[in-house]
Amino acid sequence: MRGGGEWWLKASMFDEVRYKKKNRLLMSGAGVNTFLPPLFIADDQATDLRNFSSGKYPAAKVRNGKTQISTALSKANGLGQRNNQYVHVVDTKAWKYWNGSSWVAVKTLSADATGTFEEFSTGTTKYTIFSNGTDREAWDGTGGGGMTSLTNAPASKIFTTHKGRIYWARDNDIVYSALNLINDYTTPGDAGTIDITRIKGALISLITFNDRVWAFGEFSTHGLYGTGPTNFELIDIEGAVGNISDLGTVVCNKMMYWPYWDGIYEFDGSTPVKVSEPYGANGVKGGVTTFVEGIKASLKHLIAAGSRGDYMFMSIPYGSSATANNLTLVFDTKLREWYVRDEGFKNFVTVGNTLYGIDTAGKLWDMSTAATTDGGTAISWYRITKAFNNGMASSLENVSEVWLRFKLPSGSTAKLAYSTAMEGTSFTDFDTVFSTSADIQTVRVQLDVDDIYDAEQ
């Protein structure tokens, strides 16, 4: 987008009147920056946006659409996968998987409660494990007697697997199984318990990353080195950084991400680094500070995260009126830019190269398609620029024209609006651009100079 300003200079009544035109070229593919005031962010960053992506960076691009898988679930209590092939869900009490054309029943559970899926392989058998704290079940992928109830495991839905053992959260302890035995937690010298003596707050999450098991308290992080009782070593990561949601912890592009009270953190296995805003040498160009600060504290446990390729997705309950996750923050881990989608998800899972998400209405979506709609519904989007005044609070501009160069599906529309305030919250529409073809088009939008005269933006 290119904007123009104009002004008149006159030294005396006998001087020649001179005209100067100033152009500004904007490649609007950068993300959102709510960390800094609008005057101080980069020209190509947005003060707010919805439903854009970095897919055509440096040009702005509306995010891809998504495709619904089957009918909505009655109540989404779990989402996982098996063998990187099939999506597994728990619908109220029904554990089932999608075979590509229909749902196949696995087991009817006893409790209507949310839970977690994990995979576990003994070398000879691959298990898909689900636990909601009451039901702890392991399925070997066969019918009939292929289900094992993990009656000896702790009554917890927080667990992970690593190097032939299953690790469970119990109070402030980690309980681990005997080697390659899914239901043995008592054999001396093989199964056992590790006390997290320096944990701060409740034990929130267990996850396997960087060939270790990581345990998160609400205000602390701990790493478990080793593979068994003869070489286990528990370390404490210094610094009061913890985790506020088990479902919000995810690995993306060889890094681990999770939400904390003051931001979203990235971890390479040594030191947690805040990436929800420019912080030290983290390389982040924008920021989602406003959205993180707006997370409804009473619903923090609902935060859910997923990943696909270079993109990390984190769905949050934003605003005091939120009753569920209603915004999804997307972090491009390579460009180090943030984008925002105006939709909420209860859970995510990646199968192969496909990201699936269950929204708050119970619909399961394939989020990796190149669709231009959300199941036939048009994608609504907007982008709000910074205030343009040459970096000086007292500088005013006259804007006379805007040039747009765009490629939109035929029949699409793009509406332009302006605000003359430094932090615009009320906008005036001044033109609507129609896409007459799917080719790249260039449009000049002429403004009445009285519309944007001596404006801060």
Side-chain angles (χ1 to χ4, degrees), residues 120 129 131 136 150-162 164-179 181-187 190-196 199 203 205-208 213-215 224 227-229 232 234:
F120 181 71
I129 303 173
S131 177
R136 286 100 68 207
L150 306 183
T151 53
N152 296 326
S156 173
K157 65 178 180 181
I158 300 173
F159 70 103
T160 190
T161 62
H162 180 243
R165 300 181 190 276
I166 309 174
Y167 298 80
W168 300 81
R170 185 187 65 185
D171 299 325
N172 294 331
D173 300 331
I174 300 173
V175 179
Y176 59 91
S177 69
L179 185 64
L181 297 175
I182 60 176
N183 205 26
D184 183 345
Y185 296 88
T186 57
T187 298
D190 197 359
T193 301
I194 299 169
D195 297 327
I196 310 177
I199 192 170
L203 181 51
S205 178
L206 292 177
I207 187 171
T208 300
V213 172
W214 296 92
L224 181 62
T227 58
F232 276 144
L234 186 69

Side-chain angles (χ1 to χ4, degrees), residues 51-52 56 60-63 372 379 381 404-416 432-443:
N51 295 325
F52 276 88
K56 294 294 184 180
K61 180 186 181 301
V62 177
R63 67 163 174 82
T372 57
I379 300 171
W381 52 269
L404 291 178
R405 187 170 175 82
F406 62 89
K407 182 178 182 180
L408 292 171
S410 180
S412 300
T413 61
K415 182 180 292 184
L416 280 74
T432 299
V433 177
F434 297 89
S435 177
T436 58
S437 72
D439 298 324
I440 294 177
Q441 300 170 65
T442 302
V443 175

Side-chain angles (χ1 to χ4, degrees), residues 32 49-50 75 88 95 109 120 183 214 249 286 306 320 402 434:
V32 68
L49 57 76
R50 293 293 185 277
K75 186 177 182 183
H88 282 241
W95 176 352
L109 304 173
F120 181 71
N183 205 26
W214 296 92
T249 310
S320 59
V402 174
F434 297 89

Side-chain angles (χ1 to χ4, degrees), residues 358-378:
I358 290 184
D359 67 16
T360 53
K363 297 177 182 178
L364 178 63
W365 296 95
D366 177 344
M367 301 175 63
S368 303
T369 68
T372 57
T373 66
D374 289 339
T377 301

Side-chain angles (χ1 to χ4, degrees), residues 121-333:
S121 178
T122 64
T124 58
T125 306
K126 182 184 289 290
Y127 293 97
T128 303
I129 303 173
F130 176 80
S131 177
N132 56 26
T134 300
D135 302 279
R136 286 100 68 207
E137 303 287 345
W139 183 52
D140 67 6
T142 65
M147 190 70 66
T148 300
S149 295
L150 306 183
T151 53
N152 296 326
S156 173
K157 65 178 180 181
I158 300 173
F159 70 103
T160 190
T161 62
H162 180 243
K163 295 292 180 71
R165 300 181 190 276
I166 309 174
Y167 298 80
W168 300 81
R170 185 187 65 185
D171 299 325
N172 294 331
D173 300 331
I174 300 173
V175 179
Y176 59 91
S177 69
L179 185 64
N180 289 328
L181 297 175
I182 60 176
N183 205 26
D184 183 345
Y185 296 88
T186 57
T187 298
D190 197 359
T193 301
I194 299 169
D195 297 327
I196 310 177
T197 56
R198 295 188 64 194
I199 192 170
K200 297 178 176 66
L203 181 51
I204 297 293
S205 178
L206 292 177
I207 187 171
T208 300
F209 167 69
N210 203 21
D211 204 30
R212 297 180 184 89
V213 172
W214 296 92
F216 291 94
E218 187 174 351
F219 304 99
S220 60
T221 302
H222 313 269
L224 181 62
Y225 288 67
T227 58
T230 60
N231 62 0
F232 276 144
E233 181 184 4
L234 186 69
I235 65 168
D236 305 311
I237 302 298
E238 295 303 322
V241 175
N243 192 323
I244 58 175
S245 174
D246 179 38
L247 291 179
T249 310
V250 70
V251 176
C252 177
N253 204 9
K254 300 180 181 180
M255 294 286 197
M256 182 162 60
Y257 297 86
W258 70 86
Y260 185 49
W261 287 110
D262 69 342
I264 297 170
Y265 279 78
E266 178 184 74
F267 189 53
D268 64 359
S270 57
T271 303
V273 175
K274 188 190 298 186
V275 291
S276 48
E277 60 193 42
Y279 188 86
N282 66 6
V284 175
K285 303 183 182 81
V288 286
T289 308
T290 298
F291 300 106
V292 172
E293 291 175 347
I295 291 174
K296 190 172 183 177
S298 62
L299 300 179
K300 65 183 186 302
H301 60 284
L302 298 180
I303 298 172
S307 71
R308 177 179 182 265
D310 297 326
Y311 298 94
M312 189 279 294
F313 298 74
M314 188 168 291
S315 200
I316 64 172
Y318 176 68
S320 59
S321 62
T323 57
N325 293 340
N326 52 17
L327 280 184
T328 299
L329 310 178
V330 183
F331 184 50
D332 185 322
T333 62

Side-chain angles (χ1 to χ4, degrees), residues 84-103:
N84 214 20
Q85 291 179 310
Y86 302 111
V87 177
H88 282 241
V89 302
V90 172
D91 185 1
T92 311
K93 297 181 181 180
W95 176 352
K96 53 191 178 182
Y97 72 90
W98 181 254
N99 67 5
S101 58
S102 62
W103 290 108

